[in-house]
Amino acid sequence: MSPATVLTFDGIKQPVAEWALDYGIAPAVIVARLERGLSVEQAITKPMVTAPGQKLNDAVFNRYIRRRYPAHAGLITFNGKSMNVGQWAKHTGVNVTTLRARLADGWSAQRALTTQPGAQGRRRPGGSPTLRP
């Protein structure tokens, strides 16, 4: 079993990596749970715990999953169109790395796709933005 293995849950079929994105669980955790005999529902809906009492932050998880499984980042639907990050980058003129970083940081699809580069100001090493003239 791998992140590309297709699972069916609640009438929907998609790869483990997509279920991981939907439910905030690392694909390796889902695979391990299934191999231990858990049902598909239990494997994908039980929250992932990073330390006793702490759940993995969504932004941290999204960053992890997109870096580890970039081919499984999925489709982004905006204004009735569904495309992957690379296709949206070509369509909007926003760099693919910029789009991935924005989405990993929790930006909405609308904000990530419509904010033009430089509109937010650039970050200096100290973290404060410098605005362009």
Side-chain angles (χ1 to χ4, degrees):
M1 189 170 295
S2 73
T5 302
V6 176
L7 302 176
T8 302
F9 172 63
D10 204 22
I12 301 169
K13 290 182 179 184
Q14 58 185 16
V16 169
E18 293 296 321
W19 288 116
L21 289 170
D22 290 348
Y23 283 89
I25 313 277
V29 171
I30 294 174
V31 169
R33 289 175 176 177
L34 291 168
E35 289 174 348
R36 286 196 320 261
L38 270 66
S39 69
V40 171
E41 178 180 9
Q42 292 170 325
I44 64 176
T45 61
K46 181 180 177 184
M48 190 167 129
V49 177
T50 58
Q54 291 183 326
K55 292 182 182 171
L56 193 62
N57 174 296
D58 284 343
V60 171
F61 175 76
N62 289 338
R63 197 173 296 117
Y64 159 82
I65 204 71
R66 290 187 197 315
R67 285 186 182 145
R68 183 140 187 202
Y69 301 101
H72 299 288
L75 297 178
I76 300 164
T77 302
F78 177 65
N79 280 347
K81 293 182 182 179
S82 294
M83 296 187 273
N84 66 31
V85 176
Q87 291 166 326
W88 277 115
K90 288 178 185 174
H91 183 74
T92 62
V94 177
N95 182 289
V96 69
T97 304
T98 300
L99 282 179
R100 284 191 178 126
R102 288 173 176 181
L103 294 168
D105 286 340
W107 286 35
S108 68
Q110 177 182 359
R111 182 176 173 212
L113 296 170
T114 60
T115 303
Q116 289 302 308
Q120 296 294 308
R122 293 187 179 210
R123 298 258 172 212
R124 287 188 270 160
S128 60
T130 55
L131 299 177
R132 292 179 164 173

